[in-house]
Amino acid sequence: DIQMTQSPSSLSASVGDRVTITCQASQDISNFLDWYQQKPGRAPKLLIKTASNLETGVPSRFSGSGSGTDFTLTINSLQPEDIATYFCLRYDDFPYTFGQGTKLEIK
Amino acid sequence: EVRLIESGGGLVKPGGSLRLSCEASGFSFSGYSMNWVRQAPGKGLEWLSSISSSSSYIYYADSVRGRFTISRDNAKNSLFLQMDSLRVEDTAVYYCARPSVGWGQGTLVTVSS
């Protein structure tokens, strides 16, 4: 199975900071990767689809990049409402696999 | 607007059964493969099963193969998960999901005696 390695597992940053989260696949997955935000007690929310496409309605401070094995989620100008856990999902083949998650906190 | 609404969760004893449903709207359901994913309390996400648009191809995670059965009814824009021989470790929130389209709000399944 293709594994996804997400880092960091937790992150503390200040309002206004630029935040970067990465996911690395154990083999080439092209651009079959989504990024999600999950707040406690809530369902995951799609942020970025197919590696770099911003989902409708998601603030433009969120962006995604990468293809192949290395992917990045960037949050420009961190806002207090961005406190959440972020994770990636690869879906190029079965079984789909998730990154381990990054818990983002505000300093 | 994409909407995926799960139902059917609840409390069941070990060895029991439940059938989850997911009603889809806001996108062309019959044209997409669909999936079930779960999240145990305080844990990460686990993909469980996928079904192709025409039900021709079905895949399961090792953890549920032989116990869970995925199906769909395109005429009713609905996805199902029949869960048999439930175990305590199956306790989780269950989501129907389609990558790059959306997820439901989840339904809680609790397996306990």
Side-chain angles (χ1 to χ4, degrees):
Chain A
D1 298 351
I2 299 175
Q3 303 302 314
M4 298 301 296
T5 302
Q6 184 174 341
S7 62
S9 57
S10 64
L11 178 58
S12 182
S14 300
V15 172
D17 282 356
R18 182 184 188 193
V19 169
T20 299
I21 299 168
T22 65
C23 271
Q24 184 173 57
S26 57
Q27 60 189 73
D28 191 336
I29 62 169
S30 184
N31 65 343
F32 293 99
L33 182 121
D34 289 349
W35 288 99
Y36 293 87
Q37 175 193 69
Q38 189 176 30
K39 297 184 177 182
R42 304 291 297 274
K45 174 187 176 183
L46 178 62
L47 298 176
I48 304 290
K49 53 190 178 184
T50 52
S52 60
N53 295 287
L54 188 70
E55 172 68 348
T56 302
V58 174
S60 59
R61 63 180 179 274
F62 292 92
S63 64
S65 63
S67 68
T69 61
D70 295 297
F71 302 87
T72 300
L73 172 69
T74 300
I75 309 173
N76 284 303
S77 189
L78 186 69
Q79 299 300 302
E81 59 266 31
D82 298 335
I83 297 173
T85 296
Y86 295 82
F87 61 90
C88 60
L89 163 66
R90 58 150 282 273
Y91 51 96
D92 58 297
D93 198 3
F94 302 105
Y96 296 171
T97 48
F98 295 88
Q100 299 90 335
T102 297
K103 187 173 183 179
L104 178 58
E105 298 175 334
I106 302 289
K107 280 182 185 176
Chain B
E1 178 191 7
V2 170
R3 295 195 71 188
L4 294 164
I5 302 174
E6 302 93 338
S7 61
L11 175 63
V12 61
K13 289 182 167 53
S17 297
L18 275 178
R19 188 184 195 224
L20 305 184
S21 300
C22 172
E23 185 172 339
S25 61
F27 68 105
S28 181
F29 177 80
S30 62
Y32 285 91
S33 62
M34 291 296 297
N35 308 272
W36 287 100
V37 176
R38 71 183 177 187
Q39 187 171 36
K43 302 295 185 181
L45 292 147
E46 178 187 16
W47 169 82
L48 298 179
S49 182
S50 296
I51 185 168
S52 64
S53 57
S54 62
S55 304
S56 298
Y57 300 97
I58 288 175
Y59 304 90
Y60 296 102
D62 290 345
S63 58
V64 303
R65 185 177 293 114
R67 301 188 299 124
F68 290 10
T69 303
I70 192 172
S71 62
R72 66 190 294 162
D73 183 340
N74 286 341
K76 296 182 179 180
N77 286 349
S78 294
L79 177 72
F80 306 101
L81 187 67
Q82 176 67 40
M83 304 188 297
D84 298 319
S85 303
L86 282 162
R87 305 167 180 168
V88 171
E89 56 266 33
D90 294 320
T91 294
V93 176
Y94 286 71
Y95 298 99
C96 69
R98 163 67 201 185
S100 293
V101 173
W103 290 46
Q105 85 289 348
T107 188
L108 176 63
V109 172
T110 303
V111 184
S112 174
S113 55

